[in-house]
Amino acid sequence: MLQTKLIPRTASAHEPPMLIKSLLAQSLKYEPQREIVYRDLFRMNYLEFNRRVRRLANTLTALGVKPGDTVAVFDWDSHRYLECFFGITGIGAILHTINVRLSPGQILYTMNHAEDKLVLIHEDFLPLLNAVKADLTTVEKYVLITDKVYADSTVGNTVPDGFEGEYETLLEKASDEYDFPDFDENTWATTFYTTGTTGNPKGVHFSHRQLFMHTMGLLTYVSGYECVSFKSSTDVYMPITPMFHVHAWGFPFLATMLAAKQIYPGRYEPEMLLRLLVKEGVTLSHCVPTILQMLVNSPAAQQFKPQLSRWKVIIGGSALTQGLAKAALELGIQVCAGYGMSETAPIMSVTYLNDEERPLPIGEQVNLRIRAGRIAPFVDLKLVDDHGNTVPHDGHSVGELVARGPWMTQGYYKEPEQSENLWRDGWLHTGDVASISPDNWIQIADRTKDVIKSGGEWVSSLAIEDLLSRVEGVAESAVIGLPDDRWGERPHALIVLKPDYTGKVTPAQIRASLQQQVEQGDINKWYVPDRVIFVPEIPKTSVGKIDKKKIRSEMREIILNA
C-alpha cells in the first residue's frame, strides 16, 4: 500500500459518520413546507414528516427493537415506507424490504434467513403472512398497516390477534422527540432478497455509508442533464418502481435530502397513476418498461398529452426498446434509460447527452436514449473475456461487464462462496454481456445466459426484441434461444399485439418484416426468429422483468410444438 502522510487528529474535532439520518436532516433546512403525498388519501409537509419519523423511532424502541435487529416491511409504495427508510435505519436497526411478489415459500425463506424480529404489514398482504406465519422462527411482534384509518378513526382499535396495534394509532401515541444517535457508518442499514436462476433468493445488504454515497453519486449525476435532472425547486418526484426493489432505485433518499415534493401512488393502477401525474404535477419518475408501456397504451394518455410533456422517465430493469421510446417521445415524455442491478444499489450508468448530442433532433436521439447510459460518477466499469482478460472499449467488442464503486454490496448474507464468486478478481461480476464506447456509452448486448449462439454467431435476444418493437402492431416481445440440431440454437419469439391489431397481423408477417431487413443488409439472417407466437401476456419476474427462465422452463414445449 502507498505510504502517505495523514492529517493529525485533534481529540475534540468532530468527524461525522456518513449516516442516513444526515440525509433526513437536510430536509428541514430550506423547504420544510413542501409536501409528501400518498394517493388521494394523505398529505403532509416535511416538518410533519420528520415528526412522524421520530414517532416511528420511539414506537420501534417501545416494541423492543434494538440496534442490529431486523424489521420487515410489507407495504405498497407509501409515505409510511418512506418513514421506515429513515426511522428503522436511524435507530441502528436493519430495514428488510419484503418483495411481496415472491411466492409464500420464498417469503418464508427470506424472513427466516434475515432473522426478522418485527413485521410491519399492510392488511392487503395478510394472506401472504398467514400462509407462512406458523413457520416463522424469529419474528416476535406484528404491526398492522391499513389505509382505512384515513376514513375511519376507529379502525386502529380493531387489529388481528397477535398484533401490537395499528401503525397510525401507535405513531399517534408516541413522542415526537427523538435524538438519532451517531454510530459507525459501516453499520448494516438495509437488506432485501434478489432471485437468481437457481437456489433460494440471495440476501443483498447495504451499509449507511454505501447508501449515503449512492445518494451523493445520484445527486452528481442528475444535477445537470435535462432528461434526468432533479432540481428540488421545480421537480415533483413519483416512484413507479416498488420501494422493496433496491430502495426504489435510491431516489427517495435523494428526494428527501432535497426536500422535493414527493408523490407515493400505493398500488399501481393506471388511472390513479395518471390522475396523480396530472393533479400533483409530477415531473420525474422511474419504472420498468412494462409500466411505461401500460401508461403509453392507456386510452387516457392522449387526453393528458400536455401534462405528459413535462414528465421525465428513467427506464431500467429491462431494455428500453426503440418502439417504446418513440411512442413515449411522441407523447412528449422525456424518456431515457439507466442501468444497474440489486447488488450495485443500483446506479451504474444513466443516459447523458453531451454538448454535441443534445442539439440533435429527438428522432436522432432515440438510439442514444435506449442505450444503458454513460458510466456514472465514481463507478468503474470494464469488459472482460472468459479468461478475465480486458476487452477493448471500442464500441464494438463485447465482454462481461464488471464493476467497482463505493456503494456496491460486499456480498450476499450468509453466502460466502457466492459472495466470493460475485467479487472474483476484485471486480463485481454483473453477468451481462456489453460493449463500451470510447466516450463511455454502455450498450448491453444480453445476459450471459440469454445470448443465443446460432450458426456460429452470437445473437443478442435484446437486439431481436428491439427490432420487433419497431414492427407495426407489436406491443411487447420476448425472445429466447432453444436448441437446434443444425444451428446449435435458434431464436424464438413470444409477442403481445396491440389491441387494435389482434387478428389483423400474422406470425408470418412479423417474420417477413425482419426478413426484409435481412435482404436490405440491415441485419443478418440469424436475427429472424424461427417461430413467432402470439400470447396474451409475457411472464414477468417479481420486479417486472421478462422472466426468460420461466419461459424456457414452462413454455418450451408450447413454442416447439407451435
Side-chain angles (χ1 to χ4, degrees):
M1 183 178 291
L2 182 68
Q3 295 297 312
T4 59
K5 188 172 184 179
L6 301 179
I7 294 176
R9 297 184 64 183
T10 302
S12 59
H14 180 48
E15 295 185 65
M18 298 180 188
L19 298 177
I20 292 172
K21 72 166 187 173
S22 300
L23 305 177
L24 175 65
Q26 310 314 307
S27 67
L28 292 176
K29 286 186 174 178
Y30 307 110
E31 303 287 353
Q33 79 288 349
R34 289 214 179 111
E35 289 186 312
I36 297 170
V37 179
Y38 175 54
R39 293 174 76 87
D40 52 0
L41 298 174
F42 183 84
R43 61 178 63 228
M44 61 182 163
N45 62 24
Y46 275 91
L47 290 167
E48 178 61 18
F49 174 70
N50 275 261
R51 281 193 289 266
R52 286 173 60 89
V53 171
R54 294 192 295 268
R55 289 180 185 273
L56 175 58
N58 280 313
T59 298
L60 295 169
T61 303
L63 290 172
V65 177
K66 301 184 297 296
D69 288 340
T70 303
V71 179
V73 177
F74 292 74
D75 198 7
W76 304 109
D77 285 7
S78 72
H79 61 298
R80 297 172 300 246
Y81 226 140
L82 187 65
E83 291 160 5
C84 290
F85 274 30
F86 295 94
I88 294 172
T89 61
I91 67 172
I94 301 164
L95 166 64
H96 178 192
T97 55
I98 299 288
N99 183 343
V100 297
R101 297 173 184 165
L102 296 179
S103 68
Q106 289 174 316
I107 289 175
L108 173 65
Y109 172 83
T110 65
M111 295 180 72
N112 286 338
H113 190 266
E115 301 171 35
D116 295 337
K117 180 175 182 178
L118 173 70
V119 177
L120 310 179
I121 182 165
H122 192 286
E123 63 181 347
D124 288 354
F125 304 117
L126 287 176
L128 276 177
L129 177 64
N130 291 335
V132 303
K133 191 175 180 181
D135 296 314
L136 293 172
T137 57
T138 60
V139 175
E140 298 176 2
K141 296 179 180 179
Y142 302 86
V143 171
L144 180 70
I145 294 171
T146 174
D147 290 344
K148 294 174 184 174
V149 294
Y150 303 121
D152 182 357
S153 60
T154 66
V155 169
N157 300 320
T158 57
V159 298
D161 291 340
F163 278 64
E164 298 298 315
E166 187 275 324
Y167 183 91
E168 291 292 339
T169 305
L170 292 173
L171 257 61
E172 186 177 346
K173 294 177 180 178
S175 168
D176 63 3
E177 295 293 328
Y178 190 94
D179 186 14
F180 289 104
D182 278 348
F183 41 77
D184 192 307
E185 64 189 29
N186 294 302
T187 296
W188 187 355
T190 68
T191 191
F192 56 87
Y193 283 74
T194 179
T195 54
T197 55
T198 58
N200 291 315
K202 299 186 293 294
V204 178
H205 42 59
F206 293 98
S207 68
H208 282 254
R209 183 183 189 278
Q210 288 169 320
L211 296 178
F212 186 99
M213 288 301 299
H214 183 268
T215 304
M216 296 302 107
L218 189 57
L219 174 64
T220 302
Y221 212 79
V222 302
S223 61
Y225 172 51
E226 62 272 16
C227 176
V228 293
S229 65
F230 194 5
K231 298 179 176 64
S232 64
S233 59
T234 55
D235 277 306
V236 178
Y237 166 69
M238 182 174 73
I240 319 181
T241 302
M243 296 178 79
F244 66 70
H245 184 40
V246 208
H247 323 107
W249 298 356
F251 276 86
F253 289 120
L254 177 59
T256 301
M257 186 188 79
L258 296 176
K261 183 177 179 181
Q262 301 187 61
I263 314 299
Y264 287 88
R267 183 197 294 266
Y268 295 161
E269 299 162 334
E271 288 187 5
M272 175 59 72
L273 291 173
L274 283 169
R275 192 185 316 156
L276 291 170
L277 275 167
V278 174
K279 179 182 176 183
E280 304 295 343
V282 175
T283 61
L284 177 66
S285 297
H286 47 76
C287 61
V288 296
T290 305
I291 296 292
L292 184 61
Q293 188 83 55
M294 176 182 70
L295 292 171
V296 166
N297 290 338
S298 169
Q302 290 295 333
Q303 176 186 346
F304 295 125
K305 188 172 181 179
Q307 291 85 353
L308 293 175
S309 64
R310 67 188 176 211
W311 194 31
K312 298 167 286 190
V313 181
I314 305 170
I315 295 294
S318 297
L320 172 62
T321 63
Q322 191 169 128
L324 178 56
K326 283 184 174 180
L329 289 167
E330 287 171 0
L331 288 169
I333 301 170
Q334 292 296 308
V335 66
C336 58
Y339 170 67
M341 54 193 294
S342 296
E343 292 83 347
T344 64
I347 301 298
M348 285 191 279
S349 63
V350 181
T351 297
Y352 177 87
L353 302 184
N354 62 25
D355 290 344
E356 295 178 355
E357 298 157 342
R358 208 170 299 126
L360 294 173
I362 287 294
E364 295 181 33
Q365 291 183 13
V366 171
N367 284 331
L368 298 174
R369 288 173 179 260
I370 65 174
R371 295 182 186 180
R374 277 190 161 104
I375 301 173
F378 315 120
V379 171
D380 295 323
L381 296 179
K382 72 172 184 176
L383 306 171
V384 297
D385 62 20
D386 291 342
H387 304 289
N389 300 313
T390 299
V391 173
H393 294 187
D394 55 17
H396 304 290
S397 303
V398 297
E400 184 188 4
L401 194 64
V402 295
R404 294 191 303 204
W407 48 73
M408 298 179 185
T409 188
Q410 294 292 299
Y412 302 116
Y413 184 44
K414 299 179 185 176
E415 300 281 0
E417 291 185 7
Q418 293 198 59
S419 298
E420 287 296 328
N421 186 54
L422 177 71
W423 276 102
R424 58 190 182 274
D425 302 320
W427 290 80
L428 187 150
H429 285 249
T430 68
D432 288 321
V433 177
S435 62
I436 302 177
S437 69
D439 54 353
N440 293 314
W441 279 104
I442 310 297
Q443 182 69 51
I444 304 298
D446 221 329
R447 294 289 292 168
T448 53
K449 60 181 178 292
D450 291 333
V451 69
I452 301 166
K453 189 67 174 290
S454 187
E457 297 285 337
W458 288 109
V459 180
S460 165
S461 66
L462 298 182
I464 300 175
E465 288 164 8
D466 184 62
L467 290 167
L468 290 169
S469 78
R470 307 178 211 175
V471 177
E472 188 175 4
V474 174
E476 193 176 17
S477 67
V479 174
I480 63 168
L482 292 177
D484 184 89
D485 291 339
R486 183 178 183 186
W487 303 115
E489 284 186 310
R490 288 293 299 140
H492 301 259
L494 301 182
I495 286 179
V496 177
L497 291 175
K498 296 177 180 178
D500 292 345
Y501 286 83
T502 302
K504 300 177 182 178
V505 179
T506 66
Q509 289 172 319
I510 300 287
R511 294 184 71 253
S513 65
L514 266 60
Q515 184 61 41
Q516 185 177 5
Q517 294 182 60
V518 173
E519 294 168 1
Q520 293 170 349
D522 297 331
I523 59 175
N524 67 44
K525 64 180 182 179
W526 308 111
Y527 281 77
V528 180
D530 272 15
R531 290 177 179 83
V532 170
I533 302 166
F534 295 152
V535 293
E537 62 179 356
I538 289 173
K540 303 290 197 311
T541 68
S542 62
V543 293
K545 300 179 183 179
I546 294 174
D547 193 342
K548 294 191 177 180
K549 172 188 171 185
K550 185 173 184 179
I551 293 172
R552 277 190 288 264
S553 64
E554 296 185 7
M555 306 188 73
R556 175 174 172 170
E557 293 305 314
I558 296 174
I559 293 170
L560 292 177
N561 294 327

